[in-house]
Each structure stands twice: as structure tokens, then as C-alpha cells.
Amino acid sequence: MDVEKLSKLVTEGRNPNTMNIDNVSTLEMIEMINEEDKKVPEAVGKAKESIAKAVDIIAERLSLGGRLIYVGAGTSGRIGILDASECPPTYGVSDDMVQGMIAGGQTAIFKAVEGAEDSKELGKKDLIQNNLTSKDVVCGIAASGRTPYVIGAMEYGKKVGAAVLCVTMNPESEMANIADVPIAVVVGPEVIMGSTRMKSGTAQKLILNMLTTGTMIKLGKVYENLMVNVQATNEKLVARARRIVKLATGAAYETIEKVLQATNNDVKLSIVIIKTGLQKEDAEELLKKVNGYVKKALDLM
């Protein structure tokens, strides 16, 4: 990309509020960064309708057996991997339901792989190797909205009939034009020109939080505001499972311990057993009937 085109990107602008950041006290430096960070949630809020549309699309595809695949390079790719990796322990979903794909592969998670993001063909190739189908959702992530690797993946997604989304900080971008639902958030120039790991990265994290959290709520992985699909795989999560059942049912901890032990720490099932008085097998059948939605199961009773 030539200098003239680069200079027109919102994310490559020079921030007038931080021109003297190298000539102030440490406290003033931090205050400047903080003031710029405050602008990010408000900017994300302006894209709420697009984010809601994206959640509905993702939830529909995942309910039919599809997958959400984030595609990015550098910081954007790492944020996608972070969000994907946190879905299984939080919501008890399979490791492949939400995935993160980064230009340069696993090595690029920890160390920059120069040039990997410049190949559209590589983005397409990685999705082919991942057996992308029309049931899936491809969500391209790039602050600039012009990363070739991501664009190649998005174009291939369109070709096979997958739903295609994007998260970018440049609304008039190639990625935004390709996506079925573009999520474009204008956070303005970075504190340090072009350092899109800062405001742009923060915005991306907020948006991805909304995409997967909203989707998991719609898929019945949440009861009220409790993560009832949590997988109790360590001491902290076992304690959280107990507390969730306590908050949902108000039962004595002695009762909760017995029921959790009987259900192998299945929080959803334990809540239904305690609140309905059903035997384990009957509670399992009830949850199965309503596709795992705790609230629906309790409403039926």
C-alpha cells in the first residue's frame, strides 16, 4: 500500500491530542492514554445495531451445527484467538465451535511472522484446510479493513456460502464492502500513530465479547446472568459452580454439594433438579426437551 492511501485510513491518522506525549510527566502521559481510551466504548456503542445483527446470524448458524471462525493478523488475530479460547471453559461448548485463525499460524500468536498477512491466497488456503462449509460464519478482524490475508478468507467464505462478518475501525474499507454485516467502529487516531493494538485492539475485544456472549445467551448457555454451562475443571471453577447453584436456587450448601456430586458438577442439571424436585433422569429429559435452556425448563414446570 502506498503512502498516500495509507494516510487516508482513520487508524493511520496523527492524533492532535498526543503530539507532545514525549515531553510530559509520566502521570500526564498516562492521563493522555486514559482520555483516549475513554472514547472507545462510546464508539463501539454506535455500532450496536450491526453487532446485534451479527449475534443473530452467529447464533442461528451455530444452532445448526456451524462454527464461528475469527480470521485476523497480528493483534487482531490474537484477540480472535483469545475470545475463541475462552468459550469452552466459560460456556461448556466444544473447542471447535468458536475458533481463531491467524496469519502465520501458531508461531504468529507469540511472535510476528512478517509478510504472512500479505497473502490473500493463504487466507483462503487456511479456511480450505479447516473444511469451511456454508453452515459456518467467517468473521474477519482488521483495524485497517484492508489486510489481504483476511480479505482472502472472507472472499472464500462468500464463495462457499458461509455467513461473512467483519470487525474494522475503517468504515469505507474493502472488508466492510465484502461483509454481509460489517461492524465498523471509528475510534479515531491512536495515541501513538498507527499503534492499533491500543484503541483499535480495545474496541475489537469489546466487540468480540459481545458477539460470543450474546450468542451463548441465545443458545441457552446462560440462566439469568449466570454461566450455567461452566465446566468445573479446577478448584476455582468448582467453587464458582457451587456459588452459581446457590444463587440460582437458594438451597443449602449441603444439598448443593450432594446434587453437584450426583450430576458430576453439571450446574444446569443441578439447578433444575433442586428447583423442580425431579429425579436426575427426569431433569435430564426435561432439559433435552427444551434444548438445554434452564429458564424454559423451569417455565414448563
Side-chain angles (χ1 to χ4, degrees):
M1 192 178 204
D2 61 42
V3 175
E4 185 179 348
K5 287 183 179 178
L6 190 68
S7 66
K8 291 179 181 178
L9 297 176
V10 177
T11 50
E12 293 294 331
R14 194 171 183 190
N15 195 322
N17 300 322
T18 60
M19 294 282 281
N20 67 330
I21 198 168
D22 65 337
N23 195 36
V24 297
S25 70
T26 305
L27 179 58
E28 289 173 301
M29 190 188 302
I30 298 309
E31 286 173 342
M32 284 183 183
I33 296 171
N34 184 236
E35 284 302 311
E36 290 299 312
D37 286 344
K38 288 177 184 177
K39 300 173 183 178
V40 177
E42 185 178 349
V44 171
K46 292 177 181 177
K48 60 190 175 187
E49 291 184 4
S50 295
I51 297 170
K53 287 178 185 176
V55 168
D56 286 338
I57 289 170
I58 297 167
E60 180 184 13
R61 295 294 178 110
L62 267 55
S63 70
L64 297 174
R67 303 167 296 169
L68 168 60
I69 302 173
Y70 293 127
V71 183
T75 297
S76 300
R78 294 181 193 105
I79 289 172
I81 290 169
L82 173 63
D83 191 68
S85 67
E86 291 176 344
C87 287
T90 307
Y91 297 111
V93 298
S94 65
D95 290 342
D96 66 348
M97 179 180 274
V98 183
Q99 301 180 23
M101 210 170 82
I102 186 169
Q106 191 168 356
T107 301
I109 299 172
F110 305 101
K111 185 178 180 181
V113 177
E114 302 301 336
E117 67 179 65
D118 295 332
S119 171
K120 289 174 74 171
E121 191 60 33
L122 186 57
K124 173 184 175 181
K125 180 183 175 183
D126 284 352
L127 279 183
I128 291 173
Q129 290 181 343
N130 204 358
N131 299 313
L132 187 77
T133 75
S134 59
K135 287 183 179 180
D136 297 326
V137 180
V138 175
C139 181
I141 312 169
S144 67
R146 53 162 292 277
T147 305
Y149 175 84
V150 180
I151 290 170
M154 291 174 65
E155 288 176 340
Y156 179 70
K158 296 278 277 193
K159 183 178 179 180
V160 303
V164 177
L165 315 172
C166 79
V167 177
T168 176
M169 280 64 240
N170 280 292
E172 303 300 324
S173 65
E174 189 173 353
M175 279 172 51
N177 290 331
I178 294 170
D180 300 320
V181 177
I183 300 169
V185 174
V186 181
V187 297
E190 296 289 357
V191 170
I192 306 301
M193 193 184 81
S195 182
T196 52
R197 73 185 184 90
M198 299 186 77
K199 290 195 295 184
S200 296
T202 300
Q204 291 170 351
K205 182 66 169 74
L206 292 177
I207 294 164
L208 268 53
N209 284 349
M210 293 179 183
L211 292 181
T212 47
T213 302
T215 295
M216 296 304 164
I217 292 168
K218 294 183 75 69
L219 293 178
K221 311 298 183 185
V222 174
Y223 169 58
E224 295 177 346
N225 63 350
L226 302 172
M227 56 167 78
V228 292
N229 255 56
V230 63
Q231 299 298 292
T233 54
N234 59 40
E235 288 185 13
K236 181 189 78 172
L237 294 177
V238 168
R240 181 176 290 166
R242 290 195 203 104
R243 185 161 184 266
I244 289 170
V245 177
K246 176 69 173 178
L247 291 169
T249 66
Y253 276 114
E254 185 180 348
T255 300
I256 292 168
E257 290 285 357
K258 288 179 181 177
V259 176
L260 280 171
Q261 189 172 5
T263 63
N264 195 26
N265 287 324
D266 188 320
V267 173
K268 259 188 189 181
L269 184 57
S270 297
I271 291 170
V272 173
I273 288 171
I274 293 171
K275 287 185 78 74
T276 64
L278 291 171
Q279 295 298 312
K280 179 184 174 185
E281 293 75 16
D282 295 330
E284 286 174 331
E285 189 61 34
L286 178 60
L287 275 170
K288 185 178 179 181
K289 187 184 295 185
V290 295
N291 295 317
Y293 288 77
V294 172
K295 192 165 186 63
K296 290 182 181 179
L298 298 178
D299 287 346
L300 276 181
M301 293 299 292

